[in-house]
């Protein structure tokens, strides 16, 4: 079958790879009908996340189950499904507590040997281990391009909000309006935030956040701190979501948030950095970090997307053929797209 | 000044009563500009809740502070304010835990000596004790008729949802579509419920719930249990709000709710009744009951109403003059109104 | 092999039954070294819970894994293990939320076809499905008779406390001092309850609760309501655990508990009953019910038993041979034992 | 009356100061019977926290109410009381949510004009504003030296544990065994921690933690990370309390804690520092910081101390006369004491 493989930094290739085969009785094979290109794929493309040349990439996907192992119960051949970007075992200490994203045996699609040697989904077909936990049926009437957000980007936006302790009537700020930040804006509004302040420095992204109901504030031309004060009688926001992953964003988050509030760092941090612990301490803040528990949230995300309360479709800026993956990556790398959907 | 007083079951009178005066340094006097007639007033009108003849009734109110005691800090003379239907001391064991509705020293407006001998707000002016906890400034641009919902009916709808543990993406059912039930429908939708099943047997109320985004199901002509199953792959709703207060509603709530779900009985219960404890037990349900912690929720409710996320204005069916209170009560008693707003 | 089978109400038999065999790759076979007789077994013995004649009973067990399926990962042959009284699939909607006790595919040991046709553990060997979720290694140094409490009775006592929202420094009451109630007393004390009021009418049980640090109050000769008031400046207890399962206990629980407190009905209810909803409502109580999520709690329970913080050993009043099961049941039926441990 | 005043860095003086007088109707005057010297006092003594020369210091206190304003309800003249180290108004936005430690109008005893110009309690008598929130009656039979811990040090140890989300059966680590760390050890054990790892480099402190039931691990001579792994099958502790307030402690805390665990920084941070955000992120940790909500927790702390579940008395190493305050501070500065209690 044909698949998008990593070759070298800056180079992906659509080539022939072996067909996936069932290994465990909990596995399923999915015929991919749409698969997204994600910011994480770009880390691989840039060589910052290193994977083996020839490894199939991609981890956002919608398709149809064409084969299911004997132990698969929740889906069956013929079901139209979407999947989560990582697997979980359902039995380890972390899974037993519902922290599927920290499963001791988790594998991530399309991230090479380091994350479980699980071939990616930018391919005609993909092997999905632990299908009962990883796959969900696509609700009737939901388009491919909406559904594939549930298992990654929208799941991440939802997680950022749901795990922040935001309550209906609160005020939130979202820093960074890439796909995750924009989904977090939607999730905050849909979860009852009375006001969402959305901060970025790209006009199109600010405009989209505004169209989702947020107050858009330009990072440098506007005044995010003044906006936070104005929306909260001077207190600061109840919850601030850092969807950037940079010390400057984190610093701003600490400043925007009211005493006893929560800073939710969903943006990726990989290094040491300087943090104003004095500010965190004097304001009695709570700082949460880490990637999303997509498996834990996917049912609720799907229900909200199915009801139209969450709607990622405006984020899809490009539809392309799988065979045009090289062009898609180049285009995405030039920041000309928010979300590219590839169709095999 | 003129005020609406209870005289005898079925009889209220607009008569001259003494002017309110500041007693404690935490008191304020509010010039009433709008005051609602509520289902609780009807209990008094019917004599089921007994108060002293000549006592001023009413407990929903918006107005302007005309005098504030020396210790009042959060509002001052000239502020346009709305108030909560009961007071709280802010210092007792229950207030210290945020359970203002169970304050050991709480007084309820317009409910006679039994609930603290605090004259009601269906009057030209009202004394408001502990003004810092009980009053809030009306957000700019909010109409009287919207604002007066914050301190009672919408606060109650919000409480029903917020204290039920509903999470964004859940499915809720609301039984009974009087003003509280309709506000609960709005609160559930605004808090991220993916689907709300609204049950009643009055066509107009079902239509209004539908206009708020709910699936309206007639109690007897429809099939609430089938609707709950259909919306949840057969599991039952995550949260069921009983806004009726009758054993039959409670029984239906137990049946509609999924295993490990919550039944929130915001409707009034005053007696013993038969309950299917076996069902509660086998389904591992959680049954919550009691009136709303309006003081605890009013800031968030106001923020949501100010953002337009909650909008009780469709519930206001009648505007009348305070002097026409007798007619208003008669009309409300005939169930011809959802919410009547009186203007002094 | 030999096993205890139900024959008819009042009649159990130790007879030869077929050896268990692995069916699924997640199964394990455990050589039983100790198995308890439980109150639930008595329901079967009395015929109130109906199972097929010849079905092996029992669901509390400690032993050694002698065979494990290819997919079992958390334990292996040779491991000394204890097990939970019911199984869970780890993948259904309820398991994914950590509600293993309400798993859609759960099976209960020794309860006949109605609860999953899973042969019981009062036998020389037992088949354990989903071994990764159901079994745990016995911590070093823990005796059989302590370990077998983790998967049922102590797990239930822990659940009653943990799911009640009790916080360190709170005051709790436990109604009914059978094995579950006594374990709840221990769990409450160990979880930081400043004071535990233990109510029963059997002197030995009251004495044991007292030895666990509770204030023992005789149901009729003492005054539980006065004790609750005295321990809480008149407010009532923060949490009341009903380990009886009778309307009178439930009524007492509603009366003992303070406003906004929790009543946790861990005692079994199977029928409709009269409940003072007016009291529940006016006190804004929360009523929780249902059997324990033992799989969800077993790790913490084991850790506390291993640390000696929980110690069920005083509850073991009898050690008997599996072959004497008929005598054991008769003795237990006469209420002469708290916990009988059978050794094959 | 006589009081301990700050004069200059390294110099305190017992001198004659004006008698306190009631100002607001919510005030009380307390005759001080015991008052502690605390680590925060040392910051003033060292000049790191700057206050006005001549200002009375001290904020831990037990005594008897000798005068109460007209609006004080929860205590009265003649009551033996203990107090919290800071005041709260009970009405502001933060108090209404139970975050009394972040009250907009809070004042801290003995910390000069910057923290509310409230004279300290190392004096014969002290003015206590908002007495209903700040004071509590000393439970019968509790000694002065135990009681004065409730309003500061033990309240802080309790807060560290209670706000960390620790559940009965969890494993905790406490870094830094000064008075707060030692109280946190007690609070963790009393709240059901199955195991507590206590880390410091002072032998006496390690020994005391051990006597409280912890596993004592020397910071450099022992191996805290190995101890955490050994106690948790390699996962790391569920909760780590940093009672040091130094980047090295914080770094160790991040390393000791398991995925999805909580780091509770109760030790004081006032500056920027380097933090391993990558570790926080990849482990999905939650970092909480800030000083304790003593008013919010004092009832539960008192209940536990009254029950003997928490017992700070071993921490009291010195009893001295108020007149010997200069000597007490010098001695405390030389780190020869854990807790000095002064008696006027």
């Amino acid at each position: 079958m044909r698949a998008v493989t990593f070759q070298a930094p800056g180079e992906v290739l659509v080539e022939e790879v072996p067909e996936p085969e069932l290994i465990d009785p909990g596995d399923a094979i999915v015929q991919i009908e749409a698969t997204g290109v994600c910011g994480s794929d770009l880390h691989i493309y840039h060589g910052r996340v290193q994977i083996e040349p020839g490894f199939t990439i991609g981890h956002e996907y919608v398709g149809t189950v064409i084969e299911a192992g004997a132990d698969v119960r929740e889906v069956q051949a013929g079901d139209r499904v979407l999947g989560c970007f990582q697997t979980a075992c359902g039995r380890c200490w972390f899974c037993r507590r519902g922290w599927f994203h920290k499963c001791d045996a988790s594998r991530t699609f399309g991230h090479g040997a380091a994350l479980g040697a699980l071939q990616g989904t930018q391919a005609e077909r993909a092997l999905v281990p632990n299908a009962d936990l990883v796959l969900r049926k696509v609700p009737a009437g939901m388009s491919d391009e909406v559904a594939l957000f549930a298992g990654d980007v929208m799941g991440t936006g939802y997680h950022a909000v749901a795990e922040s302790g935001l309550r209906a009537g609160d005020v939130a700020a979202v820093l960074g309006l890439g796909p995750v930040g924009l989904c977090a804006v939607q999730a905050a509004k849909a979860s009852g935030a009375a006001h969402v302040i959305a901060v970025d420095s790209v006009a199109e992204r600010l405009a989209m956040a505004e169209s989702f109901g947020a107050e858009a504030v330009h990072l440098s031309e506007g005044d995010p701190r003044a906006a936070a004060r104005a929306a909260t009688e001077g207190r600061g926001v109840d919850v601030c979501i850092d969807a950037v992953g940079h010390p400057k964003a984190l610093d701003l988050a600490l400043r925007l948030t009211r005493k006893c509030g929560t800073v939710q760092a969903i943006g990726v941090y990989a290094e040491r950095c300087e943090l104003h612990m004095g500010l965190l301490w004097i304001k009695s803040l709570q700082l949460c970090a880490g990637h999303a528990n997509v498996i834990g949230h996917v049912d609720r995300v799907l229900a909200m997307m199915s009801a139209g309360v969450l709607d990622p479709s405006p984020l899809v800026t490009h539809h392309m053929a799988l065979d045009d993956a090289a062009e898609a990556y180049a285009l995405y790398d030039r920041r000309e797209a928010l979300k590219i959907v590839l169709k095999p």
Side-chain angles (χ1 to χ4, degrees), chain A:
Chain A
M1 65 169 189
R2 297 183 70 69
V4 182
T5 60
F6 171 80
Q7 296 297 325
E11 184 188 352
V12 298
L13 187 67
V14 180
E15 63 176 332
E16 202 68 19
V17 301
E19 284 288 341
E21 287 175 24
L22 295 183
I23 301 168
D24 287 314
D27 294 350
I29 308 286
V30 174
Q31 176 79 32
I32 303 295
E33 286 150 13
T35 177
V37 180
C38 172
S40 314
D41 294 322
L42 217 53
H43 291 309
I44 295 172
Y45 186 70
H46 288 155
R48 279 199 299 270
V49 169
Q50 297 184 356
I51 71 169
E52 298 72 29
F55 204 93
T56 301
I57 53 181
H59 54 273
E60 300 176 354
Y61 55 106
V62 174
T64 297
V65 175
I66 53 176
E67 198 180 353
D71 194 35
V72 176
R73 205 178 56 194
E74 305 270 318
V75 296
Q76 57 185 338
D79 283 344
R80 188 163 162 256
V81 295
L82 66 113
C84 296
F85 74 88
Q86 66 172 164
T87 72
C89 74
R91 309 177 261 164
C92 72
W93 196 91
F94 291 94
C95 281
R96 293 200 302 265
R97 278 144 193 84
W99 293 319
F100 300 109
H101 57 321
K102 292 296 154 188
C103 168
D104 281 329
S106 181
R107 306 168 70 189
T108 300
F109 288 93
H111 274 71
L115 294 186
L118 183 59
Q119 298 293 336
T121 65
Q122 293 172 3
E124 291 183 278
R125 282 166 290 283
L127 172 70
V128 180
N130 299 312
D132 281 342
L133 284 175
V134 177
L135 296 177
R136 290 294 181 286
K137 292 181 197 166
V138 178
M142 188 179 289
S143 72
D144 283 355
E145 71 182 42
V146 165
L148 66 69
F149 275 83
D152 188 348
V153 178
M154 187 58 88
T156 300
Y158 178 94
H159 171 102
V161 171
E163 304 282 326
S164 73
L166 179 127
R167 296 171 58 178
D170 280 352
V171 175
V174 177
L175 310 184
L177 301 174
V180 165
L182 286 167
C183 285
V185 167
Q186 280 201 359
K189 289 293 292 182
S191 302
H195 195 80
V196 176
I197 297 168
V199 181
D200 201 305
S201 48
V202 178
E204 292 76 8
R205 296 179 171 197
L206 287 164
M208 192 171 292
E210 206 162 50
S211 78
F212 294 164
E215 174 192 1
V217 179
H218 193 283
L219 177 62
S220 52
E221 297 168 16
D223 186 342
R225 293 173 69 175
R229 283 194 301 269
T232 60
E233 300 168 320
R235 286 185 305 272
V237 301
D238 300 298
V239 165
C240 185
I241 294 168
D242 163 11
V244 176
H246 187 281
K248 282 189 184 169
L250 195 52
D251 192 73
L252 180 57
L254 297 183
R255 292 180 191 283
L256 294 184
T257 308
R258 66 154 164 80
K259 295 181 287 184
C260 297
T262 297
V263 172
Q264 174 71 272
I266 195 76
V268 181
Y269 287 86
E271 326 250 306
R272 293 175 168 282
C273 73
E274 204 188 72
L275 179 84
H276 200 325
M277 269 302 288
L279 201 53
L280 195 83
W281 201 89
I282 200 69
K283 293 174 83 169
S284 288
L285 300 178
Q286 178 173 281
L287 170 60
C288 305
H291 79 259
N293 182 2
V294 169
I295 293 178
H297 296 307
V298 67
D299 295 319
R300 288 190 171 95
V301 170
L302 270 180
M304 292 173 85
M305 295 198 325
S306 186
V309 176
L310 298 176
D311 177 13
S313 57
L315 276 70
V316 179
T317 50
H318 294 73
H319 291 88
M320 300 176 74
L322 186 72
D323 283 340
D324 299 329
E327 188 186 330
Y329 273 82
L331 187 152
Y332 197 60
D333 187 29
R334 295 194 303 270
R335 298 178 172 273
E336 293 171 10
L338 264 176
K339 174 60 67 188
I340 303 172
V341 176
L342 302 176
K343 299 240 172 193

